[in-house]
Amino acid sequence: AHQGQKRQSGVDYLVHPKAVAEILIDLGLDCDTVVAALLHDVIEDTEVTSEEISQTFGSVVVSLVQGVTKLSKLNFKSRLEEQAENLRRMFMAMSNDIRVIIIKLADRLHNMRTLSYKDEEGQKRIAQETLDIYAPIAARLGISSVKGELEDLCLRYLYPDDYYYIAEKVSQTRVERQELVNHISKELQDMLKELGIEGEVNGRPKHFYSIYRKLKKGKPFEQIYDLIALRVIVDNVKDCYAVLGAIHTKWKPLPGRFKDYISVPKANMYQSLHTTVLTAYGAPFEIQIRTHEMHKMAEYGIAAHWKYKQG
């Protein structure tokens, strides 16, 4: 149906729906959603009708494609926060099936990844709309992998000077940060062994946009503690608290920096223990502790629902 159509970059149009489908496969969505992602622009941009899609792919797929088509007709004109809030509510209300919104997020993510082909005015307009509307929806649904990438891409187009300043500062300190991460990571792994707890320790990259927000609040770059952060992922909740106790015994926790999102989850289902400790190396260090299920929920949010349903 898209044969002969091109993207602004000059590539075949089909590259776009394929990329959107791949994003959704990475998020673990079900077959109907991936099919609808491949077809999401067909009703709007080609001669194919809803009836044809329904006959070939069934009623679920056609309703998802119609839902995405309806959303793409919404005009987001105002940039006021209050207006954005109303639009987000309307967005949610219009969707009988949350998968429509997830397809739309994947569609926007691929458009943001290829934004360099637009003129500067188009780049700024689309990036602002993404920051006002789409990134907060990804946050609401708990899909942090999409939210983080959308915000970083927006920062690059809306505030390029800040973006490249942060990129340079982060890369200047990357080597010494990595050494510190390796040291602490080894100590945490030894700690798990001593406790007899199965678990994994890995680093957590800090998104540029969250660094930008802290800088805008007047915090010097050197005082952004969670640039360096590690995650400890264990099998169950009991182990989470056991690891936390061992960490606080070994290192001094910074006052006011401990958060228990396991007992009191965030509204978007996020659960984890967060603590910042002062290590023997002199640098404050953020550690997050969670179970494997909590980690899936933190990365994929509501999309994790399909991962579980499909085993």
Side-chain angles (χ1 to χ4, degrees):
H2 285 298
Q3 198 164 17
Q5 294 179 355
K6 300 282 185 193
R7 295 273 283 170
Q8 265 187 324
S9 59
V11 301
D12 286 343
Y13 195 85
L14 191 62
V15 167
H16 172 65
K18 274 168 67 178
V20 174
E22 278 170 15
I23 290 167
L24 294 166
I25 289 168
D26 287 343
L27 287 174
L29 269 294
D30 60 318
C31 183
D32 285 341
T33 313
V34 175
V35 173
L38 286 165
L39 299 171
H40 78 272
D41 282 326
V42 163
I43 294 176
E44 200 173 2
D45 295 346
T46 77
E47 303 297 309
V48 176
T49 63
S50 298
E51 288 70 34
E52 288 173 83
I53 292 178
S54 182
Q55 280 163 14
T56 314
F57 301 103
S59 59
V60 174
V61 169
V62 78
S63 82
L64 290 172
V65 175
Q66 285 170 330
V68 176
T69 305
K70 213 186 288 179
L71 287 180
S72 63
K73 293 195 164 78
L74 287 181
N75 280 323
F76 301 122
K77 286 189 177 132
S78 169
R79 292 177 185 178
L80 297 172
E81 193 49 45
E82 187 187 0
Q83 177 71 357
E85 180 60 31
N86 291 335
L87 288 168
R88 284 201 287 272
R89 283 187 189 147
M90 180 169 74
F91 218 90
M92 291 302 188
M94 281 185 69
S95 172
N96 299 324
D97 190 324
I98 200 77
R99 290 174 293 182
V100 169
I101 305 285
I102 301 176
I103 295 169
K104 195 68 193 161
L105 284 174
D107 172 51
R108 179 51 61 114
L109 179 56
H110 183 248
N111 283 335
M112 285 300 298
R113 285 175 180 172
T114 53
L115 200 57
S116 57
Y117 295 102
K118 293 264 184 206
D119 59 41
E120 194 179 340
E121 190 191 334
Q123 288 173 350
K124 284 199 166 9
R125 179 180 52 77
I126 292 165
Q128 189 65 56
E129 179 184 282
T130 302
L131 199 57
D132 285 347
I133 296 177
Y134 292 91
I137 286 174
R140 290 262 177 107
L141 300 181
I143 310 173
S144 69
S145 54
V146 172
K147 169 193 174 270
E149 189 179 346
L150 283 177
E151 287 177 340
D152 282 1
L153 288 164
C154 291
L155 182 64
R156 187 172 146 198
Y157 289 104
L158 291 172
Y159 308 106
D161 292 351
D162 291 307
Y163 177 88
Y164 290 111
Y165 166 77
I166 292 166
E168 192 182 342
K169 290 291 263 185
V170 166
S171 75
Q172 275 170 0
T173 57
R174 183 169 281 134
V175 176
E176 60 212 57
R177 265 206 328 274
Q178 194 53 52
E179 277 178 25
L180 195 49
V181 164
N182 294 344
H183 280 303
I184 310 264
S185 183
K186 168 87 173 64
E187 293 193 31
L188 284 169
Q189 276 154 347
D190 291 345
M191 187 186 286
L192 288 176
K193 219 172 273 175
E194 277 170 40
L195 292 166
I197 289 174
E198 286 285 317
E200 57 188 71
V201 179
N202 50 47
R204 176 185 69 82
K206 183 76 179 161
H207 284 291
F208 285 10
Y209 187 72
S210 66
I211 298 173
Y212 164 79
R213 283 174 60 184
K214 288 184 177 173
L215 292 175
K216 284 294 158 207
K217 285 178 184 166
K219 213 172 227 191
F221 187 84
E222 292 64 34
Q223 280 180 27
I224 299 175
Y225 300 140
D226 51 356
L227 274 180
I228 304 172
L230 279 171
R231 274 196 197 113
V232 182
I233 301 174
V234 294
D235 289 340
N236 57 56
V237 172
K238 183 164 74 53
D239 289 348
C240 290
Y241 288 103
V243 170
L244 177 74
I247 286 169
H248 283 182
T249 306
K250 185 177 176 67
W251 293 303
K252 184 182 167 59
L254 284 191
R257 297 279 305 166
F258 170 62
K259 304 270 191 323
D260 184 346
Y261 296 120
I262 292 181
S263 301
V264 186
K266 289 188 180 181
N268 62 11
M269 305 178 285
Y270 176 87
Q271 285 184 289
S272 194
L273 297 174
H274 291 197
T275 186
T276 302
V277 294
L278 208 52
T279 62
Y281 306 97
F285 209 92
E286 186 184 75
I287 302 172
Q288 299 177 352
I289 309 155
R290 57 178 73 153
T291 65
H292 293 282
E293 270 71 29
M294 289 170 193
H295 185 58
K296 274 187 199 146
M297 198 53 90
E299 290 299 301
Y300 303 115
I302 204 155
H305 173 69
W306 281 274
K307 270 191 153 61
Y308 294 144
K309 270 193 4 187
Q310 298 184 307

